[in-house]
Amino acid sequence: MRAAILRRLVEAQKAGRDVLLATRLTDGVQELIEARNAPRRLSLDAAQVGDALRTGESGMVETPEGAVFLRPYIRAPRIIVVGAVHIAQALVAIAPTAGFRVTVLDPREGFATAERFPGAVLLRQWPDEAMATLQLDARTAVVALTHDPKIDDPALVAALQSDAFYVGALGSRKTQGARRERLGALGFTATDLDRVHGPIGLPIGARTPEEIAVAVLAEVIVALRL
Amino acid sequence: MDQPNTRNSNADPVLAQAAEWLNEGRRVALATVTRTWGSAPRRAGSHMAIAANGDFSGSVSGGCIEGAVIETALDVIESGEPRTMEFGVTNEMAWEVGLACGGRVHLFVEPVAG
C-alpha cells in the first residue's frame, strides 16, 4: 500500500466519507474508491462495489486479472440517545468502545452538558427539531431515556417514521402500554409500534444505570447483527 | 477530551496508528483478513498494523497467529513485496501455528511505504 493511499483512507474516515479499498491480491495493485465515484482501475463491477459500500461487508471478487479484495470503510453505526440522564452517561462511555458513534440530545437546562458528557456530541434541542436534521437512516439506533412523554414521544415518532435499525424506550410494561396508546392515537399501526423495544435492554437483571447501559447496548448490537 | 473524541470519530484506530508510525518515519506493514471459513474470530477486513521494531496494533485472530503474522510482516517490510498467508486448524504438529478454534483464515500482508 502506498503511504498516500493510507493517508487518504484515514482522511476520508475522519471526514466521515464512505470509501472502499480494492486490492488485487496477486500483485498488490490498489484503488481507493470514493462512494460517489465509479471504480476505474481494477476491472471492478460497480454493482459489487456499491453492495460492499452499502453493507459494509468485505469480500473477494473475481476479475479477469485475478482475485480482488474489497474492503469498504463506512461510517460507524450511530446511537441517538434522547435524554442526557445517568444511563446515557454510562452508554456514552461504553458505546464508542463497541464501535458506535453517539449523539445525546436533551432540551433541558443542565442535562446535556460537556461536563457530564466529555467528548460526546451534544444537542440541547427538542427532539422534533433535532431529529429533522439528524437524518436517521438504517445505520441509526434511537434510544429514548427521559421517561418524559414530552421529550420521548416526539423522538419515537421521528424514529418510527425512519429506517432506524433499532428503537427503544425506557419504562415499565405499564409505561410502555400507555405510550403505545398515545402513539397509536397518532396513527401508528401495531406493526410500527412493535418496533419499539420496551422495557428497554436485554434481560440480564440489570439494576444500576451502568448495567442498564450494558443491556441497552447489547440489545442494539442484536438488532444490528442478528 | 481527546480520547473520547477520537473514538467517536470514524477513523479505524489501527489505520490511524499505521499513519502515525509513517509520520514518525517508521517502517510499517499492514495485515488484513481477506477470507474466513468456520469459526474464525476476526471478520474479513480486520486489520493489524506492524512496525519494523515489532510494535503492533489491532488483531487478525483471537491471538493464536499474531506472532507468525508479525514475523511475516517484518519480512514484508524488508523485501517490500506483499504476501498472502493461510492458517487452518492446528494439526498434529503441536508447535505449528494454527487456529485452535477450528476456523481457517486467509491474510494479505503488505508493506506501507512511499
mmCIF file of all heavy atoms in Angstrom, chain A residues 80 82 105 126-128 131 136 141-164 166-171 175-176 178-180 182-184 186 188 192-193 195-198 200:
data_model
loop_
_atom_site.group_PDB
_atom_site.id
_atom_site.type_symbol
_atom_site.label_atom_id
_atom_site.label_comp_id
_atom_site.label_asym_id
_atom_site.label_seq_id
_atom_site.Cartn_x
_atom_site.Cartn_y
_atom_site.Cartn_z
ATOM 1 N N ILE A 80 -28.533 7.463 18.745
ATOM 2 C CA ILE A 80 -29.027 8.759 19.196
ATOM 3 C C ILE A 80 -29.701 8.534 20.535
ATOM 4 O O ILE A 80 -30.675 7.781 20.632
ATOM 5 C CB ILE A 80 -29.991 9.369 18.167
ATOM 6 C CG1 ILE A 80 -29.204 9.658 16.890
ATOM 7 C CG2 ILE A 80 -30.634 10.644 18.718
ATOM 8 C CD1 ILE A 80 -30.040 10.139 15.744
ATOM 9 N N VAL A 82 -31.763 9.939 23.537
ATOM 10 C CA VAL A 82 -32.672 11.025 23.889
ATOM 11 C C VAL A 82 -32.809 11.039 25.404
ATOM 12 O O VAL A 82 -33.314 10.091 25.999
ATOM 13 C CB VAL A 82 -34.047 10.823 23.212
ATOM 14 C CG1 VAL A 82 -34.990 11.956 23.576
ATOM 15 C CG2 VAL A 82 -33.873 10.707 21.707
ATOM 16 N N LEU A 105 -29.162 13.991 22.952
ATOM 17 C CA LEU A 105 -29.941 15.224 22.872
ATOM 18 C C LEU A 105 -30.891 15.323 24.056
ATOM 19 O O LEU A 105 -31.454 14.332 24.528
ATOM 20 C CB LEU A 105 -30.661 15.335 21.527
ATOM 21 C CG LEU A 105 -31.784 14.417 21.142
ATOM 22 C CD1 LEU A 105 -33.108 15.080 21.490
ATOM 23 C CD2 LEU A 105 -31.712 14.164 19.654
ATOM 24 N N TRP A 126 -35.039 20.293 21.316
ATOM 25 C CA TRP A 126 -36.181 19.397 21.392
ATOM 26 C C TRP A 126 -36.055 18.348 20.294
ATOM 27 O O TRP A 126 -35.584 18.656 19.195
ATOM 28 C CB TRP A 126 -37.494 20.174 21.254
ATOM 29 C CG TRP A 126 -37.787 20.943 22.506
ATOM 30 C CD1 TRP A 126 -37.409 22.219 22.779
ATOM 31 C CD2 TRP A 126 -38.464 20.463 23.663
ATOM 32 N NE1 TRP A 126 -37.815 22.571 24.040
ATOM 33 C CE2 TRP A 126 -38.476 21.512 24.606
ATOM 34 C CE3 TRP A 126 -39.070 19.239 23.996
ATOM 35 C CZ2 TRP A 126 -39.058 21.376 25.862
ATOM 36 C CZ3 TRP A 126 -39.659 19.116 25.249
ATOM 37 C CH2 TRP A 126 -39.649 20.178 26.160
ATOM 38 N N PRO A 127 -36.482 17.122 20.581
ATOM 39 C CA PRO A 127 -36.276 16.033 19.611
ATOM 40 C C PRO A 127 -36.889 16.301 18.241
ATOM 41 O O PRO A 127 -36.270 15.997 17.220
ATOM 42 C CB PRO A 127 -36.946 14.829 20.266
ATOM 43 C CG PRO A 127 -36.929 15.120 21.714
ATOM 44 C CD PRO A 127 -37.027 16.616 21.846
ATOM 45 N N ASP A 128 -38.110 16.887 18.194
ATOM 46 C CA ASP A 128 -38.727 17.056 16.872
ATOM 47 C C ASP A 128 -37.880 17.974 15.994
ATOM 48 O O ASP A 128 -37.737 17.765 14.793
ATOM 49 C CB ASP A 128 -40.175 17.560 16.957
ATOM 50 C CG ASP A 128 -40.409 18.549 18.085
ATOM 51 O OD1 ASP A 128 -39.434 18.866 18.809
ATOM 52 O OD2 ASP A 128 -41.539 19.019 18.234
ATOM 53 N N MET A 131 -34.270 15.888 15.465
ATOM 54 C CA MET A 131 -34.368 14.686 14.633
ATOM 55 C C MET A 131 -34.482 15.042 13.156
ATOM 56 O O MET A 131 -34.045 14.290 12.294
ATOM 57 C CB MET A 131 -35.580 13.839 15.049
ATOM 58 C CG MET A 131 -35.471 13.248 16.440
ATOM 59 S SD MET A 131 -34.036 12.180 16.637
ATOM 60 C CE MET A 131 -34.796 10.748 17.365
ATOM 61 N N LEU A 136 -31.933 10.321 10.207
ATOM 62 C CA LEU A 136 -31.983 8.942 10.705
ATOM 63 C C LEU A 136 -32.003 7.986 9.516
ATOM 64 O O LEU A 136 -32.776 8.165 8.593
ATOM 65 C CB LEU A 136 -33.253 8.724 11.533
ATOM 66 C CG LEU A 136 -33.577 9.747 12.623
ATOM 67 C CD1 LEU A 136 -34.684 9.212 13.524
ATOM 68 C CD2 LEU A 136 -32.355 10.084 13.444
ATOM 69 N N ALA A 141 -29.606 3.962 15.521
ATOM 70 C CA ALA A 141 -30.452 3.455 16.603
ATOM 71 C C ALA A 141 -30.941 4.649 17.421
ATOM 72 O O ALA A 141 -30.199 5.613 17.605
ATOM 73 C CB ALA A 141 -29.670 2.502 17.501
ATOM 74 N N VAL A 142 -32.180 4.598 17.882
ATOM 75 C CA VAL A 142 -32.717 5.665 18.715
ATOM 76 C C VAL A 142 -33.129 5.080 20.059
ATOM 77 O O VAL A 142 -33.881 4.116 20.126
ATOM 78 C CB VAL A 142 -33.933 6.341 18.033
ATOM 79 C CG1 VAL A 142 -34.535 7.404 18.958
ATOM 80 C CG2 VAL A 142 -33.533 6.963 16.707
ATOM 81 N N VAL A 143 -32.593 5.670 21.118
ATOM 82 C CA VAL A 143 -32.821 5.176 22.461
ATOM 83 C C VAL A 143 -33.426 6.319 23.282
ATOM 84 O O VAL A 143 -32.768 7.335 23.494
ATOM 85 C CB VAL A 143 -31.472 4.732 23.085
ATOM 86 C CG1 VAL A 143 -31.640 4.370 24.537
ATOM 87 C CG2 VAL A 143 -30.876 3.566 22.298
ATOM 88 N N ALA A 144 -34.675 6.161 23.725
ATOM 89 C CA ALA A 144 -35.351 7.227 24.468
ATOM 90 C C ALA A 144 -35.303 6.915 25.963
ATOM 91 O O ALA A 144 -35.796 5.882 26.404
ATOM 92 C CB ALA A 144 -36.795 7.353 23.994
ATOM 93 N N LEU A 145 -34.708 7.823 26.727
ATOM 94 C CA LEU A 145 -34.415 7.515 28.131
ATOM 95 C C LEU A 145 -34.980 8.516 29.130
ATOM 96 O O LEU A 145 -34.673 8.427 30.319
ATOM 97 C CB LEU A 145 -32.882 7.453 28.344
ATOM 98 C CG LEU A 145 -32.078 6.416 27.552
ATOM 99 C CD1 LEU A 145 -30.593 6.570 27.887
ATOM 100 C CD2 LEU A 145 -32.540 5.006 27.881
ATOM 101 N N THR A 146 -35.799 9.484 28.682
ATOM 102 C CA THR A 146 -36.159 10.536 29.647
ATOM 103 C C THR A 146 -37.313 10.170 30.573
ATOM 104 O O THR A 146 -37.470 10.777 31.624
ATOM 105 C CB THR A 146 -36.579 11.857 28.946
ATOM 106 O OG1 THR A 146 -37.826 11.644 28.290
ATOM 107 C CG2 THR A 146 -35.528 12.334 27.983
ATOM 108 N N HIS A 147 -38.156 9.175 30.192
ATOM 109 C CA HIS A 147 -39.358 8.876 30.964
ATOM 110 C C HIS A 147 -40.416 9.970 30.802
ATOM 111 O O HIS A 147 -41.472 9.894 31.404
ATOM 112 C CB HIS A 147 -39.063 8.774 32.474
ATOM 113 C CG HIS A 147 -38.842 7.378 32.926
ATOM 114 N ND1 HIS A 147 -37.837 7.042 33.791
ATOM 115 C CD2 HIS A 147 -39.485 6.235 32.639
ATOM 116 C CE1 HIS A 147 -37.868 5.735 34.011
ATOM 117 N NE2 HIS A 147 -38.860 5.226 33.320
ATOM 118 N N ASP A 148 -40.081 11.022 30.031
ATOM 119 C CA ASP A 148 -40.993 12.159 29.924
ATOM 120 C C ASP A 148 -41.594 12.160 28.523
ATOM 121 O O ASP A 148 -40.884 12.370 27.541
ATOM 122 C CB ASP A 148 -40.196 13.455 30.170
ATOM 123 C CG ASP A 148 -41.070 14.699 30.076
ATOM 124 O OD1 ASP A 148 -42.215 14.606 29.569
ATOM 125 O OD2 ASP A 148 -40.601 15.769 30.488
ATOM 126 N N PRO A 149 -42.918 11.914 28.406
ATOM 127 C CA PRO A 149 -43.538 11.827 27.081
ATOM 128 C C PRO A 149 -43.318 13.078 26.238
ATOM 129 O O PRO A 149 -43.221 12.990 25.012
ATOM 130 C CB PRO A 149 -45.033 11.657 27.389
ATOM 131 C CG PRO A 149 -45.112 11.214 28.802
ATOM 132 C CD PRO A 149 -43.892 11.729 29.495
ATOM 133 N N LYS A 150 -43.191 14.249 26.892
ATOM 134 C CA LYS A 150 -42.982 15.490 26.130
ATOM 135 C C LYS A 150 -41.702 15.405 25.299
ATOM 136 O O LYS A 150 -41.602 15.987 24.240
ATOM 137 C CB LYS A 150 -42.845 16.692 27.085
ATOM 138 C CG LYS A 150 -44.137 17.194 27.665
ATOM 139 C CD LYS A 150 -43.999 18.631 28.194
ATOM 140 C CE LYS A 150 -42.834 18.846 29.167
ATOM 141 N NZ LYS A 150 -42.919 18.057 30.418
ATOM 142 N N ILE A 151 -40.709 14.674 25.844
ATOM 143 C CA ILE A 151 -39.426 14.581 25.142
ATOM 144 C C ILE A 151 -39.326 13.255 24.376
ATOM 145 O O ILE A 151 -38.933 13.228 23.213
ATOM 146 C CB ILE A 151 -38.249 14.720 26.140
ATOM 147 C CG1 ILE A 151 -38.371 16.042 26.893
ATOM 148 C CG2 ILE A 151 -36.918 14.644 25.404
ATOM 149 C CD1 ILE A 151 -37.365 16.213 28.017
ATOM 150 N N ASP A 152 -39.678 12.148 25.044
ATOM 151 C CA ASP A 152 -39.515 10.832 24.401
ATOM 152 C C ASP A 152 -40.435 10.653 23.193
ATOM 153 O O ASP A 152 -40.014 10.146 22.153
ATOM 154 C CB ASP A 152 -39.810 9.703 25.404
ATOM 155 C CG ASP A 152 -38.623 9.439 26.340
ATOM 156 O OD1 ASP A 152 -37.571 10.084 26.148
ATOM 157 O OD2 ASP A 152 -38.755 8.588 27.235
ATOM 158 N N ASP A 153 -41.711 11.062 23.341
ATOM 159 C CA ASP A 153 -42.678 10.756 22.273
ATOM 160 C C ASP A 153 -42.305 11.355 20.911
ATOM 161 O O ASP A 153 -42.299 10.622 19.902
ATOM 162 C CB ASP A 153 -44.102 11.190 22.676
ATOM 163 C CG ASP A 153 -44.749 10.197 23.645
ATOM 164 O OD1 ASP A 153 -44.019 9.304 24.149
ATOM 165 O OD2 ASP A 153 -45.960 10.310 23.914
ATOM 166 N N PRO A 154 -41.952 12.655 20.835
ATOM 167 C CA PRO A 154 -41.583 13.176 19.514
ATOM 168 C C PRO A 154 -40.345 12.479 18.929
ATOM 169 O O PRO A 154 -40.236 12.319 17.706
ATOM 170 C CB PRO A 154 -41.317 14.666 19.760
ATOM 171 C CG PRO A 154 -41.341 14.873 21.226
ATOM 172 C CD PRO A 154 -42.037 13.716 21.852
ATOM 173 N N ALA A 155 -39.439 12.041 19.807
ATOM 174 C CA ALA A 155 -38.257 11.316 19.320
ATOM 175 C C ALA A 155 -38.683 9.966 18.743
ATOM 176 O O ALA A 155 -38.195 9.544 17.683
ATOM 177 C CB ALA A 155 -37.264 11.115 20.462
ATOM 178 N N LEU A 156 -39.605 9.298 19.424
ATOM 179 C CA LEU A 156 -40.056 7.987 18.950
ATOM 180 C C LEU A 156 -40.854 8.128 17.650
ATOM 181 O O LEU A 156 -40.743 7.280 16.756
ATOM 182 C CB LEU A 156 -40.896 7.295 20.030
ATOM 183 C CG LEU A 156 -40.094 6.898 21.273
ATOM 184 C CD1 LEU A 156 -41.026 6.428 22.400
ATOM 185 C CD2 LEU A 156 -39.077 5.804 20.937
ATOM 186 N N VAL A 157 -41.630 9.200 17.546
ATOM 187 C CA VAL A 157 -42.378 9.450 16.309
ATOM 188 C C VAL A 157 -41.401 9.570 15.133
ATOM 189 O O VAL A 157 -41.553 8.910 14.102
ATOM 190 C CB VAL A 157 -43.239 10.730 16.437
ATOM 191 C CG1 VAL A 157 -43.749 11.187 15.075
ATOM 192 C CG2 VAL A 157 -44.405 10.485 17.395
ATOM 193 N N ALA A 158 -40.350 10.375 15.323
ATOM 194 C CA ALA A 158 -39.358 10.547 14.255
ATOM 195 C C ALA A 158 -38.667 9.221 13.948
ATOM 196 O O ALA A 158 -38.427 8.878 12.787
ATOM 197 C CB ALA A 158 -38.330 11.600 14.656
ATOM 198 N N ALA A 159 -38.360 8.446 14.997
ATOM 199 C CA ALA A 159 -37.673 7.162 14.802
ATOM 200 C C ALA A 159 -38.552 6.194 14.022
ATOM 201 O O ALA A 159 -38.083 5.502 13.111
ATOM 202 C CB ALA A 159 -37.288 6.568 16.151
ATOM 203 N N LEU A 160 -39.849 6.157 14.364
ATOM 204 C CA LEU A 160 -40.752 5.210 13.697
ATOM 205 C C LEU A 160 -41.037 5.624 12.256
ATOM 206 O O LEU A 160 -41.437 4.797 11.440
ATOM 207 C CB LEU A 160 -42.060 5.090 14.486
ATOM 208 C CG LEU A 160 -41.931 4.349 15.825
ATOM 209 C CD1 LEU A 160 -43.266 4.324 16.559
ATOM 210 C CD2 LEU A 160 -41.414 2.928 15.625
ATOM 211 N N GLN A 161 -40.830 6.884 11.951
ATOM 212 C CA GLN A 161 -41.015 7.345 10.556
ATOM 213 C C GLN A 161 -39.735 7.138 9.733
ATOM 214 O O GLN A 161 -39.715 7.450 8.545
ATOM 215 C CB GLN A 161 -41.408 8.823 10.537
ATOM 216 C CG GLN A 161 -42.842 9.050 11.005
ATOM 217 C CD GLN A 161 -43.150 10.508 11.281
ATOM 218 O OE1 GLN A 161 -42.234 11.319 11.463
ATOM 219 N NE2 GLN A 161 -44.430 10.844 11.321
ATOM 220 N N SER A 162 -38.685 6.632 10.378
ATOM 221 C CA SER A 162 -37.399 6.465 9.694
ATOM 222 C C SER A 162 -37.094 4.974 9.522
ATOM 223 O O SER A 162 -37.856 4.119 9.951
ATOM 224 C CB SER A 162 -36.283 7.110 10.521
ATOM 225 O OG SER A 162 -35.939 6.250 11.605
ATOM 226 N N ASP A 163 -35.917 4.690 8.912
ATOM 227 C CA ASP A 163 -35.465 3.308 8.756
ATOM 228 C C ASP A 163 -34.561 2.877 9.904
ATOM 229 O O ASP A 163 -33.826 1.892 9.773
ATOM 230 C CB ASP A 163 -34.674 3.165 7.447
ATOM 231 C CG ASP A 163 -35.560 3.341 6.235
ATOM 232 O OD1 ASP A 163 -36.754 3.003 6.334
ATOM 233 O OD2 ASP A 163 -35.060 3.809 5.196
ATOM 234 N N ALA A 164 -34.583 3.596 11.027
ATOM 235 C CA ALA A 164 -33.708 3.268 12.155
ATOM 236 C C ALA A 164 -33.730 1.762 12.430
ATOM 237 O O ALA A 164 -34.800 1.155 12.455
ATOM 238 C CB ALA A 164 -34.144 4.034 13.399
ATOM 239 N N TYR A 166 -32.948 0.259 15.126
ATOM 240 C CA TYR A 166 -33.348 -0.049 16.500
ATOM 241 C C TYR A 166 -34.049 1.162 17.096
ATOM 242 O O TYR A 166 -33.602 2.298 16.933
ATOM 243 C CB TYR A 166 -32.116 -0.391 17.359
ATOM 244 C CG TYR A 166 -32.438 -0.605 18.824
ATOM 245 C CD1 TYR A 166 -32.761 -1.857 19.309
ATOM 246 C CD2 TYR A 166 -32.441 0.464 19.726
ATOM 247 C CE1 TYR A 166 -33.088 -2.063 20.644
ATOM 248 C CE2 TYR A 166 -32.755 0.279 21.065
ATOM 249 C CZ TYR A 166 -33.078 -0.987 21.517
ATOM 250 O OH TYR A 166 -33.397 -1.181 22.840
ATOM 251 N N VAL A 167 -35.158 0.897 17.776
ATOM 252 C CA VAL A 167 -35.857 1.944 18.517
ATOM 253 C C VAL A 167 -36.166 1.359 19.888
ATOM 254 O O VAL A 167 -36.729 0.269 19.984
ATOM 255 C CB VAL A 167 -37.189 2.342 17.824
ATOM 256 C CG1 VAL A 167 -37.839 3.511 18.550
ATOM 257 C CG2 VAL A 167 -36.970 2.677 16.363
ATOM 258 N N GLY A 168 -35.773 2.061 20.938
ATOM 259 C CA GLY A 168 -36.031 1.551 22.282
ATOM 260 C C GLY A 168 -36.442 2.672 23.202
ATOM 261 O O GLY A 168 -36.077 3.830 22.995
ATOM 262 N N ALA A 169 -37.241 2.330 24.213
ATOM 263 C CA ALA A 169 -37.689 3.340 25.163
ATOM 264 C C ALA A 169 -37.690 2.781 26.577
ATOM 265 O O ALA A 169 -38.174 1.666 26.822
ATOM 266 C CB ALA A 169 -39.082 3.838 24.791
ATOM 267 N N LEU A 170 -37.151 3.597 27.470
ATOM 268 C CA LEU A 170 -37.106 3.214 28.880
ATOM 269 C C LEU A 170 -38.526 3.247 29.458
ATOM 270 O O LEU A 170 -39.343 4.064 29.051
ATOM 271 C CB LEU A 170 -36.225 4.222 29.622
ATOM 272 C CG LEU A 170 -35.763 3.864 31.032
ATOM 273 C CD1 LEU A 170 -34.789 2.700 30.982
ATOM 274 C CD2 LEU A 170 -35.082 5.072 31.678
ATOM 275 N N GLY A 171 -38.788 2.382 30.411
ATOM 276 C CA GLY A 171 -40.084 2.422 31.076
ATOM 277 C C GLY A 171 -40.617 1.028 31.368
ATOM 278 O O GLY A 171 -40.307 0.069 30.652
ATOM 279 N N THR A 175 -45.833 1.663 31.640
ATOM 280 C CA THR A 175 -45.459 2.870 30.886
ATOM 281 C C THR A 175 -45.498 2.597 29.383
ATOM 282 O O THR A 175 -45.953 3.429 28.598
ATOM 283 C CB THR A 175 -44.029 3.307 31.269
ATOM 284 O OG1 THR A 175 -43.951 3.359 32.688
ATOM 285 C CG2 THR A 175 -43.666 4.644 30.678
ATOM 286 N N GLN A 176 -44.997 1.408 29.016
ATOM 287 C CA GLN A 176 -44.969 1.051 27.586
ATOM 288 C C GLN A 176 -46.381 0.977 27.028
ATOM 289 O O GLN A 176 -46.637 1.403 25.908
ATOM 290 C CB GLN A 176 -44.268 -0.309 27.374
ATOM 291 C CG GLN A 176 -42.827 -0.376 27.854
ATOM 292 C CD GLN A 176 -41.872 0.518 27.084
ATOM 293 O OE1 GLN A 176 -42.149 0.912 25.948
ATOM 294 N NE2 GLN A 176 -40.754 0.862 27.700
ATOM 295 N N ALA A 178 -49.054 2.598 28.069
ATOM 296 C CA ALA A 178 -49.601 3.951 27.926
ATOM 297 C C ALA A 178 -48.998 4.627 26.703
ATOM 298 O O ALA A 178 -49.690 5.307 25.941
ATOM 299 C CB ALA A 178 -49.297 4.755 29.195
ATOM 300 N N ARG A 179 -47.690 4.402 26.512
ATOM 301 C CA ARG A 179 -47.002 5.012 25.367
ATOM 302 C C ARG A 179 -47.590 4.472 24.062
ATOM 303 O O ARG A 179 -47.812 5.210 23.116
ATOM 304 C CB ARG A 179 -45.508 4.701 25.448
ATOM 305 C CG ARG A 179 -44.756 5.248 24.280
ATOM 306 C CD ARG A 179 -43.243 5.055 24.301
ATOM 307 N NE ARG A 179 -42.698 4.314 25.392
ATOM 308 C CZ ARG A 179 -41.991 4.860 26.387
ATOM 309 N NH1 ARG A 179 -41.811 6.153 26.432
ATOM 310 N NH2 ARG A 179 -41.493 4.101 27.317
ATOM 311 N N ARG A 180 -47.825 3.166 24.057
ATOM 312 C CA ARG A 180 -48.394 2.524 22.865
ATOM 313 C C ARG A 180 -49.736 3.153 22.496
ATOM 314 O O ARG A 180 -50.012 3.391 21.323
ATOM 315 C CB ARG A 180 -48.564 1.031 23.174
ATOM 316 C CG ARG A 180 -48.187 0.109 22.045
ATOM 317 C CD ARG A 180 -48.387 -1.349 22.427
ATOM 318 N NE ARG A 180 -48.855 -2.063 21.255
ATOM 319 C CZ ARG A 180 -48.041 -2.618 20.360
ATOM 320 N NH1 ARG A 180 -46.740 -2.562 20.530
ATOM 321 N NH2 ARG A 180 -48.530 -3.232 19.302
ATOM 322 N N ARG A 182 -50.743 6.217 23.286
ATOM 323 C CA ARG A 182 -50.536 7.592 22.797
ATOM 324 C C ARG A 182 -50.058 7.598 21.344
ATOM 325 O O ARG A 182 -50.555 8.345 20.513
ATOM 326 C CB ARG A 182 -49.500 8.314 23.668
ATOM 327 C CG ARG A 182 -49.966 8.706 25.059
ATOM 328 C CD ARG A 182 -49.026 9.735 25.677
ATOM 329 N NE ARG A 182 -47.624 9.326 25.643
ATOM 330 C CZ ARG A 182 -47.036 8.546 26.556
ATOM 331 N NH1 ARG A 182 -47.725 8.087 27.581
ATOM 332 N NH2 ARG A 182 -45.763 8.231 26.443
ATOM 333 N N LEU A 183 -49.059 6.717 21.048
ATOM 334 C CA LEU A 183 -48.512 6.711 19.686
ATOM 335 C C LEU A 183 -49.523 6.124 18.705
ATOM 336 O O LEU A 183 -49.615 6.559 17.555
ATOM 337 C CB LEU A 183 -47.197 5.917 19.641
ATOM 338 C CG LEU A 183 -46.025 6.527 20.432
ATOM 339 C CD1 LEU A 183 -44.811 5.619 20.386
ATOM 340 C CD2 LEU A 183 -45.661 7.912 19.911
ATOM 341 N N GLY A 184 -50.295 5.150 19.180
ATOM 342 C CA GLY A 184 -51.345 4.560 18.344
ATOM 343 C C GLY A 184 -52.356 5.618 17.934
ATOM 344 O O GLY A 184 -52.827 5.650 16.794
ATOM 345 N N LEU A 186 -51.791 8.546 17.317
ATOM 346 C CA LEU A 186 -51.219 9.406 16.274
ATOM 347 C C LEU A 186 -51.248 8.729 14.902
ATOM 348 O O LEU A 186 -50.784 9.293 13.918
ATOM 349 C CB LEU A 186 -49.767 9.763 16.629
ATOM 350 C CG LEU A 186 -49.571 10.599 17.902
ATOM 351 C CD1 LEU A 186 -48.085 10.791 18.188
ATOM 352 C CD2 LEU A 186 -50.261 11.945 17.767
ATOM 353 N N PHE A 188 -49.994 5.408 14.277
ATOM 354 C CA PHE A 188 -49.052 4.308 14.049
ATOM 355 C C PHE A 188 -49.775 2.967 14.202
ATOM 356 O O PHE A 188 -50.623 2.808 15.082
ATOM 357 C CB PHE A 188 -47.883 4.389 15.034
ATOM 358 C CG PHE A 188 -46.931 5.506 14.728
ATOM 359 C CD1 PHE A 188 -46.927 6.652 15.493
ATOM 360 C CD2 PHE A 188 -46.057 5.411 13.648
ATOM 361 C CE1 PHE A 188 -46.063 7.704 15.202
ATOM 362 C CE2 PHE A 188 -45.188 6.447 13.350
ATOM 363 C CZ PHE A 188 -45.195 7.598 14.133
ATOM 364 N N ASP A 192 -45.899 -0.971 13.435
ATOM 365 C CA ASP A 192 -44.996 0.147 13.731
ATOM 366 C C ASP A 192 -44.586 0.106 15.199
ATOM 367 O O ASP A 192 -43.399 0.184 15.546
ATOM 368 C CB ASP A 192 -45.694 1.497 13.486
ATOM 369 C CG ASP A 192 -45.997 1.762 12.019
ATOM 370 O OD1 ASP A 192 -45.270 1.214 11.174
ATOM 371 O OD2 ASP A 192 -46.955 2.505 11.734
ATOM 372 N N LEU A 193 -45.600 -0.015 16.060
ATOM 373 C CA LEU A 193 -45.350 0.107 17.499
ATOM 374 C C LEU A 193 -44.533 -1.069 18.030
ATOM 375 O O LEU A 193 -43.812 -0.937 19.018
ATOM 376 C CB LEU A 193 -46.687 0.231 18.246
ATOM 377 C CG LEU A 193 -47.466 1.501 17.856
ATOM 378 C CD1 LEU A 193 -48.863 1.493 18.453
ATOM 379 C CD2 LEU A 193 -46.708 2.741 18.306
ATOM 380 N N ARG A 195 -41.988 -2.098 16.776
ATOM 381 C CA ARG A 195 -40.557 -1.787 16.584
ATOM 382 C C ARG A 195 -39.945 -1.197 17.851
ATOM 383 O O ARG A 195 -38.720 -1.189 17.992
ATOM 384 C CB ARG A 195 -40.377 -0.774 15.438
ATOM 385 C CG ARG A 195 -40.564 -1.370 14.054
ATOM 386 C CD ARG A 195 -40.476 -0.281 12.990
ATOM 387 N NE ARG A 195 -39.145 0.333 12.908
ATOM 388 C CZ ARG A 195 -38.893 1.477 12.300
ATOM 389 N NH1 ARG A 195 -39.883 2.149 11.722
ATOM 390 N NH2 ARG A 195 -37.665 1.970 12.272
ATOM 391 N N VAL A 196 -40.763 -0.670 18.725
ATOM 392 C CA VAL A 196 -40.222 -0.036 19.941
ATOM 393 C C VAL A 196 -39.883 -1.108 20.972
ATOM 394 O O VAL A 196 -40.768 -1.818 21.447
ATOM 395 C CB VAL A 196 -41.228 0.957 20.549
ATOM 396 C CG1 VAL A 196 -40.617 1.625 21.786
ATOM 397 C CG2 VAL A 196 -41.654 2.001 19.524
ATOM 398 N N HIS A 197 -38.589 -1.255 21.277
ATOM 399 C CA HIS A 197 -38.176 -2.197 22.318
ATOM 400 C C HIS A 197 -38.433 -1.574 23.687
ATOM 401 O O HIS A 197 -37.897 -0.519 24.007
ATOM 402 C CB HIS A 197 -36.685 -2.519 22.203
ATOM 403 C CG HIS A 197 -36.346 -3.345 21.008
ATOM 404 N ND1 HIS A 197 -36.244 -2.809 19.752
ATOM 405 C CD2 HIS A 197 -36.089 -4.661 20.870
ATOM 406 C CE1 HIS A 197 -35.929 -3.769 18.886
ATOM 407 N NE2 HIS A 197 -35.833 -4.901 19.548
ATOM 408 N N GLY A 198 -39.288 -2.218 24.477
ATOM 409 C CA GLY A 198 -39.538 -1.716 25.815
ATOM 410 C C GLY A 198 -40.283 -2.762 26.614
ATOM 411 O O GLY A 198 -41.169 -3.398 26.050
ATOM 412 N N ILE A 200 -36.710 -1.523 27.894
ATOM 413 C CA ILE A 200 -35.515 -1.467 27.059
ATOM 414 C C ILE A 200 -34.415 -2.398 27.584
ATOM 415 O O ILE A 200 -34.300 -2.614 28.778
ATOM 416 C CB ILE A 200 -35.006 -0.007 26.968
ATOM 417 C CG1 ILE A 200 -34.106 0.195 25.770
ATOM 418 C CG2 ILE A 200 -34.333 0.404 28.265
ATOM 419 C CD1 ILE A 200 -33.807 1.663 25.502
#
